[in-house]
Amino acid sequence: MRQLIARRLLQTIPLLFFVSIVCFALIKMAPGDPVLSFVTPNMHAEDIERIRHNLGLDKPAYVQYFLWLKELVQGNLGYSLVNHQPVLDQILDRLPATAGLMGSAIALAVLLAIPLGLVAGANRSRWPDKLINFISYIGISVPLFWLAILLIYLFAIELHWLPIMGMRTIGVNSALDVLKHGILPCAVLAFSFLSVYVRYIRSSTIGQLKEDYVQIQYAFGSSKRLVLFRHVLKHVLLPIITLLGISMAELVTGAIVTETVFSWPGIGSLGMTAVRGMDYPLIMGITLFSAVLLIVGNLLADILYGFADPRINKAR
């Protein structure tokens, strides 16, 4: 296991280098000029060029990249072009709000997807399977922003049960208030994740029910429920581990639309603000941060694979 972790960590170095090149290249090819955010109507051309020089934007692109990479290796993601605050500090300030929202949504989706996927796979082509599949197709097809607006109209405007936007009510500082604000965005994200997870678990369940060990358990007199939740479930968890590893990156970027609709003060809404303001250092910082989380998530998935199925460690 230690060799696996060391090998994976070594593999991340060229991968992160490649991601940094792609990220920088995409930003340089993006339309717009970040200097324009500093320009005023009465500003002279000399002043504009002075700003461009101070930002280092008058240097060749490869020089700008290596200067940025040098600061990046030292843990400095640069400063925002809009508010002049350190990029890393802004990301870390918003991270708890996004991680709490996304973590709750993913946990809720997994807890619901496991029994629903098992039931759908065990009742293939019957009415429980058709009903669960129908709900899953809705979750996959419906745009998140439309579902968010629909829930806001129903539960906030019509029924007045839940707040519309934000993370806290002004003047109220309690965990219950944060919980009430998080119900709607968490429900939207959980429904999206649930639809995907159910499809994976259903497909894996159908495949496992054809295996010989299942028929042996039935021959010994085990009930269908016991076979599903004691034996099949162990093997069904493997694709879920992969999905959870991939979802690590979505702790940063997965809630962009939802956070924007609900005005949730997380990294997603911070990223939208950076895009609208052409704040390139902040955009690159968020992109790299999400790439690091994706790599860490895949590493954790590999480690969990070994605990879930010891045969994988022996094969390695």
Side-chain angles (χ1 to χ4, degrees), residues 40-249:
T40 59
N42 299 324
M43 187 173 290
H44 298 288
E46 295 81 3
D47 297 327
I48 297 176
E49 291 303 318
R50 188 181 301 111
I51 294 175
R52 191 180 302 276
H53 175 73
N54 292 334
L55 293 176
L57 298 177
D58 58 340
K59 298 180 176 65
Y62 69 92
V63 175
Q64 296 181 39
Y65 170 74
F66 283 110
L67 290 175
W68 174 68
L69 185 62
K70 178 183 176 181
E71 296 295 327
L72 183 64
V73 172
Q74 298 174 359
N76 180 17
L77 297 181
Y79 290 83
S80 168
L81 297 179
V82 176
N83 55 30
H84 312 292
Q85 298 297 318
V87 169
L88 183 59
D89 290 348
Q90 295 185 69
I91 294 175
L92 294 179
D93 287 342
R94 298 289 191 102
L95 181 60
T98 297
L101 177 62
M102 295 296 296
S104 300
I106 292 174
L108 179 61
V110 170
L111 290 176
L112 294 176
I114 290 176
L116 290 176
L118 288 173
V119 170
N123 296 275
R124 184 180 183 183
S125 300
R126 300 177 184 174
W127 73 264
D129 181 33
K130 294 179 179 179
L131 177 61
I132 294 173
N133 274 332
F134 177 72
I135 297 174
S136 298
Y137 290 141
I138 292 177
I140 295 173
S141 305
V142 170
L144 287 183
F145 73 89
W146 184 85
L147 179 60
I149 294 173
L150 181 64
L151 293 182
I152 288 175
Y153 177 78
L154 178 60
F155 292 101
I157 298 178
E158 289 293 326
L159 299 177
H160 302 285
W161 288 357
L162 298 170
I164 296 178
M165 59 182 59
M167 185 175 174
R168 297 179 184 274
T169 303
I170 298 177
V172 180
N173 187 16
S174 67
L176 180 60
D177 183 62
V178 176
L179 179 62
K180 290 173 62 177
H181 280 80
I183 289 177
L184 289 182
C186 181
V188 171
L189 292 170
F191 186 55
S192 175
F193 287 124
L194 174 66
S195 304
V196 176
Y197 293 168
V198 165
R199 297 293 301 165
Y200 275 92
I201 296 176
R202 175 188 178 274
S203 177
S204 181
T205 301
I206 293 174
Q208 290 298 319
L209 289 176
K210 298 177 182 179
E211 297 293 332
D212 293 338
Y213 75 89
V214 173
Q215 304 304 321
I216 293 174
Q217 291 300 321
Y218 284 143
F220 280 122
S222 299
S223 64
K224 188 174 183 179
R225 179 178 180 181
L226 182 63
V227 171
L228 279 177
F229 288 94
R230 175 173 293 185
H231 302 285
V232 175
L233 178 60
K234 297 178 182 179
H235 301 275
V236 168
L237 289 178
L238 292 179
I240 293 299
I241 292 175
T242 303
L243 291 175
L244 290 177
I246 297 175
S247 298
M248 283 291 291

Side-chain angles (χ1 to χ4, degrees), residues 259-272:
E259 286 186 1
T260 303
V261 173
F262 289 98
S263 298
W264 189 264
I267 297 179
S269 58
L270 179 66
M272 287 298 297

Side-chain angles (χ1 to χ4, degrees), residues 277-297:
M278 293 188 295
D279 195 344
Y280 295 155
L282 187 55
I283 296 173
M284 291 190 293
I286 293 175
T287 304
L288 282 176
F289 194 77
S290 62
V292 171
L293 284 182
L294 178 60
I295 294 171
V296 171

